[in-house]
Amino acid sequence: MSEPIRITRATVKKQKPKDSELTFGTVFTDHMFVMNFQEEKGWYDPRVEPYGPLSMDPAAAVLHYAQAVFDGLKAFRGRDGRVRLFRPQKHVDRLIQSSNRLCIPPLDPELALRSLVTLVGLEKDWVPSTVGTSLYVRPTIVANEAFLGVRPAKSYIYYVILSPVGAYYPEGMNPVKILVVDKYVRAVEGGVGSAKTGVNYAASLFAAEEAKHAGFTQVLWLDGRERKYVDEVGTMNIMLKIGDEIVTPPLSGTILAGVTRDSALTLMREWGLRVAERPIAIDEVAAAARRGTLEEVWGTGTAAVISPVGELAYKGERLVINEGKIGKLTRKLYDAIVGIQYGTAPDPHGWTVPV
Ligand code: COI
Protein backbone atom coordinates (compact mmCIF):
# COMPACT_ATOMS: atom_id res chain seq x y z
CA MET A 1 0.00 0.00 0.00
CA SER A 2 1.38 3.40 -0.86
CA GLU A 3 2.35 5.61 2.04
CA PRO A 4 -0.06 8.50 2.74
CA ILE A 5 1.24 12.07 2.47
CA ARG A 6 0.27 14.19 5.48
CA ILE A 7 -0.85 17.71 4.58
CA THR A 8 -0.62 20.81 6.80
CA ARG A 9 -1.99 23.86 5.05
CA ALA A 10 -0.54 27.35 5.36
CA THR A 11 -2.83 29.70 7.27
CA VAL A 12 -1.48 32.81 5.57
CA LYS A 13 -1.17 32.82 1.78
CA LYS A 14 1.36 34.92 -0.13
CA GLN A 15 0.48 37.32 -2.88
CA LYS A 16 1.11 35.84 -6.32
CA PRO A 17 3.18 37.83 -8.81
CA LYS A 18 1.78 38.85 -12.20
CA ASP A 19 3.01 36.74 -15.13
CA SER A 20 4.72 39.82 -16.58
CA GLU A 21 6.80 40.26 -13.42
CA LEU A 22 8.22 36.73 -13.34
CA THR A 23 11.97 36.20 -13.43
CA PHE A 24 13.72 32.96 -12.49
CA GLY A 25 13.73 31.42 -9.03
CA THR A 26 13.02 34.41 -6.80
CA VAL A 27 9.45 33.73 -5.65
CA PHE A 28 8.30 30.60 -3.84
CA THR A 29 4.84 29.18 -3.27
CA ASP A 30 2.94 28.64 0.01
CA HIS A 31 3.85 25.00 0.60
CA MET A 32 6.73 22.57 0.31
CA PHE A 33 7.04 18.80 0.42
CA VAL A 34 9.32 17.33 3.09
CA MET A 35 10.45 13.81 4.02
CA ASN A 36 13.19 12.57 6.33
CA PHE A 37 15.62 9.67 6.25
CA GLN A 38 17.32 7.95 9.12
CA GLU A 39 19.46 4.90 8.76
CA GLU A 40 17.34 2.81 11.09
CA LYS A 41 13.97 3.97 9.66
CA GLY A 42 14.58 4.54 5.95
CA TRP A 43 12.62 7.39 4.31
CA TYR A 44 9.70 8.34 6.55
CA ASP A 45 6.99 10.92 7.26
CA PRO A 46 6.22 12.26 3.79
CA ARG A 47 4.35 15.52 4.26
CA VAL A 48 3.35 18.86 2.80
CA GLU A 49 4.00 21.83 5.08
CA PRO A 50 3.84 25.60 4.85
CA TYR A 51 6.92 26.87 2.97
CA GLY A 52 9.60 27.95 5.42
CA PRO A 53 13.20 27.63 6.62
CA LEU A 54 14.69 24.22 7.29
CA SER A 55 16.22 23.76 10.68
CA MET A 56 19.69 22.25 10.50
CA ASP A 57 22.56 21.65 12.88
CA PRO A 58 25.62 23.78 11.96
CA ALA A 59 27.55 20.50 11.77
CA ALA A 60 25.14 19.06 9.15
CA ALA A 61 27.21 17.12 6.60
CA VAL A 62 25.83 18.99 3.59
CA LEU A 63 27.13 22.30 4.95
CA HIS A 64 30.67 20.94 5.08
CA TYR A 65 31.09 18.23 2.45
CA ALA A 66 28.31 19.10 -0.01
CA GLN A 67 26.55 15.75 0.06
CA ALA A 68 23.46 16.89 -1.82
CA VAL A 69 21.58 16.38 -5.06
CA PHE A 70 18.73 18.15 -6.78
CA ASP A 71 16.72 18.16 -9.95
CA GLY A 72 14.62 20.68 -11.81
CA LEU A 73 11.44 20.21 -13.81
CA LYS A 74 8.46 22.29 -14.78
CA ALA A 75 4.67 22.36 -14.65
CA PHE A 76 2.87 24.27 -17.40
CA ARG A 77 -0.63 25.69 -17.64
CA GLY A 78 -2.00 24.96 -21.08
CA ARG A 79 -4.27 27.14 -23.11
CA ASP A 80 -7.00 24.71 -22.01
CA GLY A 81 -6.31 25.73 -18.38
CA ARG A 82 -4.98 22.27 -17.47
CA VAL A 83 -1.71 21.88 -15.60
CA ARG A 84 0.86 19.35 -16.85
CA LEU A 85 4.23 18.25 -15.55
CA PHE A 86 6.82 17.64 -18.27
CA ARG A 87 8.50 14.21 -18.04
CA PRO A 88 8.46 14.00 -14.22
CA GLN A 89 9.34 10.30 -14.19
CA LYS A 90 12.53 10.98 -16.12
CA HIS A 91 13.50 13.65 -13.60
CA VAL A 92 12.79 11.27 -10.71
CA ASP A 93 14.98 8.62 -12.34
CA ARG A 94 17.78 11.16 -12.73
CA LEU A 95 17.44 12.30 -9.11
CA ILE A 96 17.88 8.68 -8.05
CA GLN A 97 20.93 8.29 -10.33
CA SER A 98 22.44 11.47 -8.90
CA SER A 99 21.71 10.14 -5.39
CA ASN A 100 23.51 6.89 -6.13
CA ARG A 101 26.63 8.79 -7.22
CA LEU A 102 26.60 10.89 -4.02
CA CYS A 103 25.96 7.88 -1.71
CA ILE A 104 22.49 9.22 -0.85
CA PRO A 105 19.85 6.55 -0.16
CA PRO A 106 17.49 6.35 -3.13
CA LEU A 107 13.89 7.51 -2.95
CA ASP A 108 11.07 5.16 -3.84
CA PRO A 109 10.34 6.36 -7.42
CA GLU A 110 6.57 6.00 -6.96
CA LEU A 111 6.59 8.13 -3.81
CA ALA A 112 8.95 10.68 -5.39
CA LEU A 113 6.60 11.08 -8.36
CA ARG A 114 3.64 11.38 -5.99
CA SER A 115 5.48 14.06 -4.00
CA LEU A 116 5.73 16.19 -7.16
CA VAL A 117 2.17 15.60 -8.35
CA THR A 118 0.69 16.14 -4.86
CA LEU A 119 2.56 19.38 -4.20
CA VAL A 120 1.94 20.86 -7.65
CA GLY A 121 -1.72 19.78 -7.37
CA LEU A 122 -2.05 21.67 -4.09
CA GLU A 123 -0.34 24.76 -5.54
CA LYS A 124 -2.13 24.68 -8.91
CA ASP A 125 -3.18 28.30 -8.60
CA TRP A 126 0.50 29.26 -8.65
CA VAL A 127 1.07 27.89 -12.16
CA PRO A 128 1.23 30.93 -14.47
CA SER A 129 -0.41 30.78 -17.88
CA THR A 130 1.53 33.00 -20.30
CA VAL A 131 3.68 31.09 -22.81
CA GLY A 132 7.26 31.29 -21.54
CA THR A 133 6.20 31.09 -17.90
CA SER A 134 5.82 27.96 -15.79
CA LEU A 135 6.06 26.58 -12.28
CA TYR A 136 9.63 25.40 -11.69
CA VAL A 137 9.80 22.36 -9.41
CA ARG A 138 12.98 21.81 -7.41
CA PRO A 139 13.31 18.45 -5.61
CA THR A 140 16.40 18.45 -3.39
CA ILE A 141 18.09 16.02 -1.00
CA VAL A 142 20.63 17.14 1.59
CA ALA A 143 22.61 15.26 4.24
CA ASN A 144 21.62 16.66 7.63
CA GLU A 145 23.52 14.41 10.03
CA ALA A 146 25.56 16.46 12.52
CA PHE A 147 28.92 14.77 12.01
CA LEU A 148 32.24 16.12 10.80
CA GLY A 149 33.86 12.86 9.69
CA VAL A 150 33.97 12.23 5.98
CA ARG A 151 31.61 9.34 5.10
CA PRO A 152 28.06 9.09 3.77
CA ALA A 153 25.66 10.66 6.27
CA LYS A 154 23.11 8.62 8.19
CA SER A 155 20.29 11.15 7.95
CA TYR A 156 18.85 13.27 5.10
CA ILE A 157 16.04 15.63 4.22
CA TYR A 158 14.22 15.38 0.90
CA TYR A 159 12.23 18.48 0.08
CA VAL A 160 10.48 19.96 -2.92
CA ILE A 161 9.92 23.66 -3.45
CA LEU A 162 8.07 25.43 -6.24
CA SER A 163 8.78 28.72 -7.96
CA PRO A 164 6.71 30.46 -10.63
CA VAL A 165 9.21 31.50 -13.29
CA GLY A 166 9.67 33.42 -16.51
CA ALA A 167 12.72 33.33 -18.78
CA TYR A 168 15.97 31.95 -17.33
CA TYR A 169 18.21 34.26 -19.34
CA PRO A 170 17.13 37.89 -19.62
CA GLU A 171 17.96 37.51 -23.34
CA GLY A 172 14.97 35.10 -23.61
CA MET A 173 15.06 33.67 -27.13
CA ASN A 174 17.61 36.21 -28.35
CA PRO A 175 20.90 34.43 -29.12
CA VAL A 176 23.52 34.61 -26.37
CA LYS A 177 27.26 35.26 -26.63
CA ILE A 178 29.40 32.47 -25.24
CA LEU A 179 33.06 32.38 -24.26
CA VAL A 180 34.88 29.08 -24.87
CA VAL A 181 37.09 28.47 -21.83
CA ASP A 182 40.16 26.30 -21.78
CA LYS A 183 41.61 27.60 -18.52
CA TYR A 184 38.95 26.03 -16.27
CA VAL A 185 36.99 22.80 -16.59
CA ARG A 186 33.56 21.86 -15.29
CA ALA A 187 34.01 18.13 -14.91
CA VAL A 188 36.47 15.30 -15.44
CA GLU A 189 36.00 11.69 -16.43
CA GLY A 190 35.27 9.66 -13.33
CA GLY A 191 34.03 12.76 -11.50
CA VAL A 192 30.49 13.90 -10.74
CA GLY A 193 29.75 15.81 -13.95
CA SER A 194 26.79 13.60 -14.84
CA ALA A 195 25.17 13.99 -11.40
CA LYS A 196 22.94 16.96 -10.65
CA THR A 197 24.75 18.07 -7.56
CA GLY A 198 25.48 21.57 -6.33
CA VAL A 199 29.25 21.24 -6.47
CA ASN A 200 29.18 21.20 -10.30
CA TYR A 201 27.43 24.57 -10.22
CA ALA A 202 29.69 26.01 -7.51
CA ALA A 203 32.71 24.92 -9.55
CA SER A 204 31.33 26.73 -12.61
CA LEU A 205 30.95 30.15 -11.00
CA PHE A 206 34.48 31.48 -11.31
CA ALA A 207 34.72 30.91 -15.06
CA ALA A 208 31.18 32.20 -15.59
CA GLU A 209 31.99 35.40 -13.69
CA GLU A 210 35.12 35.96 -15.77
CA ALA A 211 33.07 35.46 -18.92
CA LYS A 212 30.41 37.88 -17.68
CA HIS A 213 33.00 40.56 -17.00
CA ALA A 214 34.28 40.07 -20.53
CA GLY A 215 30.75 40.67 -21.92
CA PHE A 216 29.55 37.10 -22.40
CA THR A 217 26.40 35.44 -21.06
CA GLN A 218 28.03 32.10 -20.27
CA VAL A 219 30.92 29.78 -21.02
CA LEU A 220 31.34 26.77 -23.26
CA TRP A 221 33.12 24.03 -21.34
CA LEU A 222 35.69 21.78 -22.95
CA ASP A 223 36.62 18.29 -21.77
CA GLY A 224 38.79 18.08 -18.67
CA ARG A 225 41.54 15.90 -20.11
CA GLU A 226 42.55 17.44 -23.43
CA ARG A 227 40.53 20.66 -23.37
CA LYS A 228 39.74 19.85 -26.94
CA TYR A 229 36.18 18.53 -27.05
CA VAL A 230 32.96 20.42 -26.45
CA ASP A 231 31.20 19.42 -23.20
CA GLU A 232 28.37 21.71 -22.09
CA VAL A 233 27.31 25.31 -22.47
CA GLY A 234 26.82 27.07 -19.13
CA THR A 235 24.37 24.84 -17.24
CA MET A 236 22.94 23.37 -20.44
CA ASN A 237 23.64 20.62 -22.95
CA ILE A 238 24.88 21.87 -26.30
CA MET A 239 23.78 21.01 -29.84
CA LEU A 240 25.34 22.19 -33.10
CA LYS A 241 24.13 22.01 -36.69
CA ILE A 242 27.14 21.60 -38.94
CA GLY A 243 26.03 21.32 -42.55
CA ASP A 244 23.17 18.81 -42.49
CA GLU A 245 24.37 16.97 -39.40
CA ILE A 246 23.23 17.80 -35.88
CA VAL A 247 25.85 16.90 -33.31
CA THR A 248 25.87 16.79 -29.54
CA PRO A 249 28.42 15.33 -27.11
CA PRO A 250 27.74 11.75 -25.97
CA LEU A 251 26.69 10.90 -22.41
CA SER A 252 30.16 9.74 -21.46
CA GLY A 253 29.97 10.59 -17.77
CA THR A 254 31.05 14.22 -17.69
CA ILE A 255 27.83 15.84 -18.90
CA LEU A 256 24.33 15.78 -17.53
CA ALA A 257 21.75 13.54 -19.20
CA GLY A 258 19.42 16.42 -19.96
CA VAL A 259 15.71 15.71 -20.27
CA THR A 260 15.35 18.51 -22.83
CA ARG A 261 18.42 17.06 -24.60
CA ASP A 262 16.65 13.70 -24.83
CA SER A 263 13.39 15.33 -25.97
CA ALA A 264 15.17 17.34 -28.68
CA LEU A 265 17.10 14.29 -29.95
CA THR A 266 13.93 12.20 -30.05
CA LEU A 267 12.04 14.84 -32.03
CA MET A 268 14.87 15.50 -34.49
CA ARG A 269 15.31 11.77 -35.17
CA GLU A 270 11.56 11.50 -35.80
CA TRP A 271 11.83 14.39 -38.24
CA GLY A 272 14.35 12.33 -40.19
CA LEU A 273 17.32 14.56 -39.42
CA ARG A 274 20.86 13.21 -39.23
CA VAL A 275 21.70 13.33 -35.54
CA ALA A 276 24.97 12.16 -33.98
CA GLU A 277 25.95 11.85 -30.34
CA ARG A 278 29.72 12.01 -30.74
CA PRO A 279 32.76 13.89 -29.47
CA ILE A 280 33.07 17.27 -31.22
CA ALA A 281 36.45 18.98 -31.22
CA ILE A 282 36.31 22.74 -30.75
CA ASP A 283 38.70 22.95 -33.72
CA GLU A 284 36.07 21.22 -35.84
CA VAL A 285 33.52 23.82 -34.70
CA ALA A 286 35.87 26.72 -35.48
CA ALA A 287 36.74 25.26 -38.90
CA ALA A 288 33.04 24.84 -39.72
CA ALA A 289 32.37 28.43 -38.67
CA ARG A 290 35.15 29.68 -40.93
CA ARG A 291 33.84 27.55 -43.80
CA GLY A 292 30.31 28.84 -43.21
CA THR A 293 28.85 25.43 -42.31
CA LEU A 294 28.31 26.08 -38.60
CA GLU A 295 24.67 26.84 -39.23
CA GLU A 296 23.13 26.77 -35.76
CA VAL A 297 24.16 26.30 -32.14
CA TRP A 298 21.82 26.06 -29.17
CA GLY A 299 21.71 24.96 -25.57
CA THR A 300 19.01 22.69 -24.15
CA GLY A 301 17.91 22.64 -20.53
CA THR A 302 14.79 22.62 -18.44
CA ALA A 303 15.19 26.18 -17.20
CA ALA A 304 15.59 27.91 -20.58
CA VAL A 305 14.23 25.00 -22.74
CA ILE A 306 16.18 26.08 -25.85
CA SER A 307 18.72 28.88 -25.79
CA PRO A 308 20.14 29.96 -29.15
CA VAL A 309 23.85 30.79 -29.33
CA GLY A 310 24.69 33.71 -31.61
CA GLU A 311 28.42 33.86 -31.08
CA LEU A 312 31.27 31.72 -29.75
CA ALA A 313 34.54 33.39 -28.81
CA TYR A 314 37.54 31.04 -28.87
CA LYS A 315 41.18 32.04 -28.46
CA GLY A 316 40.40 35.62 -29.43
CA GLU A 317 38.41 34.65 -32.53
CA ARG A 318 34.71 35.50 -32.74
CA LEU A 319 32.67 32.83 -34.46
CA VAL A 320 29.35 34.39 -35.41
CA ILE A 321 26.55 31.89 -36.00
CA ASN A 322 23.69 32.58 -38.41
CA GLU A 323 24.49 36.31 -38.29
CA GLY A 324 23.71 36.25 -34.58
CA LYS A 325 20.08 35.34 -35.24
CA ILE A 326 18.02 32.38 -34.07
CA GLY A 327 18.20 29.52 -36.58
CA LYS A 328 15.28 27.75 -38.27
CA LEU A 329 15.81 24.40 -36.59
CA THR A 330 16.39 26.03 -33.20
CA ARG A 331 13.04 27.80 -33.54
CA LYS A 332 11.29 24.64 -34.79
CA LEU A 333 12.57 22.65 -31.81
CA TYR A 334 11.55 25.34 -29.35
CA ASP A 335 8.06 25.52 -30.85
CA ALA A 336 7.69 21.73 -30.88
CA ILE A 337 8.76 21.22 -27.26
CA VAL A 338 6.81 24.21 -25.97
CA GLY A 339 3.75 23.03 -27.94
CA ILE A 340 3.82 19.70 -26.11
CA GLN A 341 4.49 21.37 -22.75
CA TYR A 342 1.52 23.74 -23.05
CA GLY A 343 -0.75 21.10 -24.57
CA THR A 344 -1.20 22.92 -27.89
CA ALA A 345 0.46 20.07 -29.81
CA PRO A 346 -0.21 16.32 -29.54
CA ASP A 347 1.93 14.41 -27.05
CA PRO A 348 2.50 11.05 -28.76
CA HIS A 349 5.30 10.07 -26.36
CA GLY A 350 3.21 10.64 -23.23
CA TRP A 351 5.75 13.14 -21.94
CA THR A 352 3.25 15.24 -20.03
CA VAL A 353 1.54 14.13 -16.83
CA PRO A 354 -1.69 15.98 -16.02
CA VAL A 355 -1.93 17.23 -12.46
C1 COI B 1 18.64 23.85 -16.45
O1 COI B 1 17.50 23.52 -16.16
O2 COI B 1 18.97 24.08 -17.59
C2 COI B 1 19.65 24.00 -15.42
O3 COI B 1 20.41 23.11 -15.18
C3 COI B 1 19.74 25.28 -14.74
C4 COI B 1 19.33 25.21 -13.32
C5 COI B 1 20.43 24.70 -12.46
C6 COI B 1 18.87 26.57 -12.88
PDB file of all heavy atoms in Angstrom, residues 24 70 72 136 138 168 196 201 235-236 256 300-305, ligand 1:
ATOM      1  N   PHE A  24      13.445  34.379 -12.749  1.00  0.00           N
ATOM      2  CA  PHE A  24      13.721  32.965 -12.486  1.00  0.00           C
ATOM      3  C   PHE A  24      14.119  32.731 -11.032  1.00  0.00           C
ATOM      4  O   PHE A  24      15.146  33.264 -10.578  1.00  0.00           O
ATOM      5  CB  PHE A  24      14.828  32.422 -13.400  1.00  0.00           C
ATOM      6  CG  PHE A  24      14.977  30.934 -13.247  1.00  0.00           C
ATOM      7  CD1 PHE A  24      14.212  30.061 -14.002  1.00  0.00           C
ATOM      8  CD2 PHE A  24      15.852  30.401 -12.300  1.00  0.00           C
ATOM      9  CE1 PHE A  24      14.302  28.682 -13.824  1.00  0.00           C
ATOM     10  CE2 PHE A  24      15.943  29.026 -12.115  1.00  0.00           C
ATOM     11  CZ  PHE A  24      15.170  28.169 -12.885  1.00  0.00           C
ATOM     12  N   PHE A  70      20.011  17.506  -6.490  1.00  0.00           N
ATOM     13  CA  PHE A  70      18.729  18.149  -6.775  1.00  0.00           C
ATOM     14  C   PHE A  70      18.312  17.809  -8.187  1.00  0.00           C
ATOM     15  O   PHE A  70      19.058  17.161  -8.933  1.00  0.00           O
ATOM     16  CB  PHE A  70      18.828  19.673  -6.562  1.00  0.00           C
ATOM     17  CG  PHE A  70      19.652  20.416  -7.574  1.00  0.00           C
ATOM     18  CD1 PHE A  70      19.056  20.977  -8.700  1.00  0.00           C
ATOM     19  CD2 PHE A  70      21.022  20.562  -7.422  1.00  0.00           C
ATOM     20  CE1 PHE A  70      19.802  21.677  -9.641  1.00  0.00           C
ATOM     21  CE2 PHE A  70      21.778  21.260  -8.363  1.00  0.00           C
ATOM     22  CZ  PHE A  70      21.166  21.817  -9.466  1.00  0.00           C
ATOM     23  N   GLY A  72      15.446  19.530 -11.465  1.00  0.00           N
ATOM     24  CA  GLY A  72      14.615  20.683 -11.810  1.00  0.00           C
ATOM     25  C   GLY A  72      13.694  20.305 -12.946  1.00  0.00           C
ATOM     26  O   GLY A  72      14.148  19.783 -13.971  1.00  0.00           O
ATOM     27  N   TYR A 136       8.394  26.192 -11.776  1.00  0.00           N
ATOM     28  CA  TYR A 136       9.630  25.398 -11.691  1.00  0.00           C
ATOM     29  C   TYR A 136       9.588  24.569 -10.413  1.00  0.00           C
ATOM     30  O   TYR A 136       9.258  25.079  -9.335  1.00  0.00           O
ATOM     31  CB  TYR A 136      10.833  26.342 -11.689  1.00  0.00           C
ATOM     32  CG  TYR A 136      12.167  25.635 -11.753  1.00  0.00           C
ATOM     33  CD1 TYR A 136      12.610  25.052 -12.938  1.00  0.00           C
ATOM     34  CD2 TYR A 136      12.993  25.563 -10.636  1.00  0.00           C
ATOM     35  CE1 TYR A 136      13.839  24.408 -13.009  1.00  0.00           C
ATOM     36  CE2 TYR A 136      14.222  24.924 -10.699  1.00  0.00           C
ATOM     37  CZ  TYR A 136      14.641  24.352 -11.886  1.00  0.00           C
ATOM     38  OH  TYR A 136      15.861  23.724 -11.951  1.00  0.00           O
ATOM     39  N   ARG A 138      11.597  22.099  -7.808  1.00  0.00           N
ATOM     40  CA  ARG A 138      12.976  21.813  -7.406  1.00  0.00           C
ATOM     41  C   ARG A 138      13.025  20.770  -6.278  1.00  0.00           C
ATOM     42  O   ARG A 138      12.960  21.109  -5.092  1.00  0.00           O
ATOM     43  CB  ARG A 138      13.625  23.132  -6.973  1.00  0.00           C
ATOM     44  CG  ARG A 138      14.991  23.048  -6.301  1.00  0.00           C
ATOM     45  CD  ARG A 138      16.036  22.318  -7.105  1.00  0.00           C
ATOM     46  NE  ARG A 138      16.400  22.912  -8.369  1.00  0.00           N
ATOM     47  CZ  ARG A 138      17.346  23.834  -8.549  1.00  0.00           C
ATOM     48  NH1 ARG A 138      18.020  24.285  -7.523  1.00  0.00           N
ATOM     49  NH2 ARG A 138      17.623  24.283  -9.761  1.00  0.00           N
ATOM     50  N   TYR A 168      14.767  32.169 -18.140  1.00  0.00           N
ATOM     51  CA  TYR A 168      15.971  31.953 -17.329  1.00  0.00           C
ATOM     52  C   TYR A 168      17.020  33.015 -17.644  1.00  0.00           C
ATOM     53  O   TYR A 168      17.581  33.637 -16.750  1.00  0.00           O
ATOM     54  CB  TYR A 168      16.537  30.555 -17.583  1.00  0.00           C
ATOM     55  CG  TYR A 168      17.725  30.254 -16.702  1.00  0.00           C
ATOM     56  CD1 TYR A 168      17.551  30.006 -15.345  1.00  0.00           C
ATOM     57  CD2 TYR A 168      19.019  30.248 -17.214  1.00  0.00           C
ATOM     58  CE1 TYR A 168      18.629  29.756 -14.520  1.00  0.00           C
ATOM     59  CE2 TYR A 168      20.101  29.993 -16.391  1.00  0.00           C
ATOM     60  CZ  TYR A 168      19.907  29.749 -15.044  1.00  0.00           C
ATOM     61  OH  TYR A 168      20.975  29.513 -14.234  1.00  0.00           O
ATOM     62  N   LYS A 196      23.417  15.596 -10.891  1.00  0.00           N
ATOM     63  CA  LYS A 196      22.936  16.961 -10.651  1.00  0.00           C
ATOM     64  C   LYS A 196      23.171  17.262  -9.175  1.00  0.00           C
ATOM     65  O   LYS A 196      22.341  16.978  -8.311  1.00  0.00           O
ATOM     66  CB  LYS A 196      21.459  17.093 -11.050  1.00  0.00           C
ATOM     67  CG  LYS A 196      21.133  18.520 -11.495  1.00  0.00           C
ATOM     68  CD  LYS A 196      19.929  18.570 -12.402  1.00  0.00           C
ATOM     69  CE  LYS A 196      19.523  19.991 -12.721  1.00  0.00           C
ATOM     70  NZ  LYS A 196      20.398  20.693 -13.647  1.00  0.00           N
ATOM     71  N   TYR A 201      27.850  23.187  -9.948  1.00  0.00           N
ATOM     72  CA  TYR A 201      27.434  24.567 -10.217  1.00  0.00           C
ATOM     73  C   TYR A 201      28.362  25.534  -9.482  1.00  0.00           C
ATOM     74  O   TYR A 201      28.743  26.576 -10.026  1.00  0.00           O
ATOM     75  CB  TYR A 201      25.957  24.735  -9.844  1.00  0.00           C
ATOM     76  CG  TYR A 201      25.105  23.818 -10.702  1.00  0.00           C
ATOM     77  CD1 TYR A 201      24.938  22.476 -10.375  1.00  0.00           C
ATOM     78  CD2 TYR A 201      24.551  24.268 -11.895  1.00  0.00           C
ATOM     79  CE1 TYR A 201      24.225  21.601 -11.183  1.00  0.00           C
ATOM     80  CE2 TYR A 201      23.825  23.407 -12.703  1.00  0.00           C
ATOM     81  CZ  TYR A 201      23.673  22.075 -12.352  1.00  0.00           C
ATOM     82  OH  TYR A 201      22.969  21.217 -13.166  1.00  0.00           O
ATOM     83  N   THR A 235      24.987  25.947 -17.990  1.00  0.00           N
ATOM     84  CA  THR A 235      24.369  24.838 -17.242  1.00  0.00           C
ATOM     85  C   THR A 235      23.552  23.948 -18.183  1.00  0.00           C
ATOM     86  O   THR A 235      22.709  23.174 -17.739  1.00  0.00           O
ATOM     87  CB  THR A 235      23.437  25.387 -16.151  1.00  0.00           C
ATOM     88  OG1 THR A 235      22.406  26.157 -16.798  1.00  0.00           O
ATOM     89  CG2 THR A 235      24.167  26.270 -15.161  1.00  0.00           C
ATOM     90  N   MET A 236      23.792  24.078 -19.490  1.00  0.00           N
ATOM     91  CA  MET A 236      22.940  23.372 -20.445  1.00  0.00           C
ATOM     92  C   MET A 236      23.732  22.401 -21.307  1.00  0.00           C
ATOM     93  O   MET A 236      24.941  22.554 -21.487  1.00  0.00           O
ATOM     94  CB  MET A 236      22.248  24.382 -21.375  1.00  0.00           C
ATOM     95  CG  MET A 236      21.549  25.513 -20.655  1.00  0.00           C
ATOM     96  SD  MET A 236      20.782  26.672 -21.798  1.00  0.00           S
ATOM     97  CE  MET A 236      19.242  25.877 -22.099  1.00  0.00           C
ATOM     98  N   LEU A 256      25.607  16.176 -18.101  1.00  0.00           N
ATOM     99  CA  LEU A 256      24.327  15.782 -17.525  1.00  0.00           C
ATOM    100  C   LEU A 256      23.424  15.191 -18.622  1.00  0.00           C
ATOM    101  O   LEU A 256      23.393  15.709 -19.743  1.00  0.00           O
ATOM    102  CB  LEU A 256      23.663  17.031 -16.927  1.00  0.00           C
ATOM    103  CG  LEU A 256      22.567  16.734 -15.934  1.00  0.00           C
ATOM    104  CD1 LEU A 256      23.165  16.271 -14.611  1.00  0.00           C
ATOM    105  CD2 LEU A 256      21.714  17.967 -15.704  1.00  0.00           C
ATOM    106  N   THR A 300      20.288  23.245 -24.590  1.00  0.00           N
ATOM    107  CA  THR A 300      19.010  22.685 -24.154  1.00  0.00           C
ATOM    108  C   THR A 300      19.056  22.479 -22.645  1.00  0.00           C
ATOM    109  O   THR A 300      20.053  22.021 -22.100  1.00  0.00           O
ATOM    110  CB  THR A 300      18.719  21.316 -24.820  1.00  0.00           C
ATOM    111  OG1 THR A 300      19.700  20.366 -24.384  1.00  0.00           O
ATOM    112  CG2 THR A 300      18.721  21.396 -26.328  1.00  0.00           C
ATOM    113  N   GLY A 301      17.981  22.836 -21.983  1.00  0.00           N
ATOM    114  CA  GLY A 301      17.908  22.640 -20.530  1.00  0.00           C
ATOM    115  C   GLY A 301      16.492  22.913 -20.077  1.00  0.00           C
ATOM    116  O   GLY A 301      15.732  23.578 -20.785  1.00  0.00           O
ATOM    117  N   THR A 302      16.157  22.427 -18.915  1.00  0.00           N
ATOM    118  CA  THR A 302      14.787  22.621 -18.440  1.00  0.00           C
ATOM    119  C   THR A 302      14.491  24.105 -18.203  1.00  0.00           C
ATOM    120  O   THR A 302      13.426  24.597 -18.555  1.00  0.00           O
ATOM    121  CB  THR A 302      14.580  21.830 -17.135  1.00  0.00           C
ATOM    122  OG1 THR A 302      14.678  20.448 -17.459  1.00  0.00           O
ATOM    123  CG2 THR A 302      13.229  22.119 -16.506  1.00  0.00           C
ATOM    124  N   ALA A 303      15.458  24.796 -17.617  1.00  0.00           N
ATOM    125  CA  ALA A 303      15.194  26.175 -17.198  1.00  0.00           C
ATOM    126  C   ALA A 303      14.899  27.078 -18.399  1.00  0.00           C
ATOM    127  O   ALA A 303      13.918  27.812 -18.410  1.00  0.00           O
ATOM    128  CB  ALA A 303      16.354  26.705 -16.387  1.00  0.00           C
ATOM    129  N   ALA A 304      15.763  27.029 -19.421  1.00  0.00           N
ATOM    130  CA  ALA A 304      15.587  27.914 -20.578  1.00  0.00           C
ATOM    131  C   ALA A 304      14.920  27.193 -21.756  1.00  0.00           C
ATOM    132  O   ALA A 304      14.597  27.827 -22.754  1.00  0.00           O
ATOM    133  CB  ALA A 304      16.928  28.483 -21.010  1.00  0.00           C
ATOM    134  N   VAL A 305      14.731  25.902 -21.677  1.00  0.00           N
ATOM    135  CA  VAL A 305      14.227  25.005 -22.736  1.00  0.00           C
ATOM    136  C   VAL A 305      15.236  24.955 -23.890  1.00  0.00           C
ATOM    137  O   VAL A 305      15.979  23.998 -24.036  1.00  0.00           O
ATOM    138  CB  VAL A 305      12.819  25.375 -23.242  1.00  0.00           C
ATOM    139  CG1 VAL A 305      12.304  24.304 -24.205  1.00  0.00           C
ATOM    140  CG2 VAL A 305      11.844  25.537 -22.074  1.00  0.00           C
TER     141      VAL A 305
HETATM  142  C1  COI B   1      18.637  23.854 -16.448  1.00  0.00           C
HETATM  143  O1  COI B   1      17.504  23.516 -16.164  1.00  0.00           O
HETATM  144  O2  COI B   1      18.968  24.078 -17.587  1.00  0.00           O
HETATM  145  C2  COI B   1      19.652  23.996 -15.417  1.00  0.00           C
HETATM  146  O3  COI B   1      20.407  23.107 -15.180  1.00  0.00           O
HETATM  147  C3  COI B   1      19.736  25.280 -14.741  1.00  0.00           C
HETATM  148  C4  COI B   1      19.331  25.214 -13.325  1.00  0.00           C
HETATM  149  C5  COI B   1      20.434  24.698 -12.457  1.00  0.00           C
HETATM  150  C6  COI B   1      18.873  26.571 -12.883  1.00  0.00           C
END
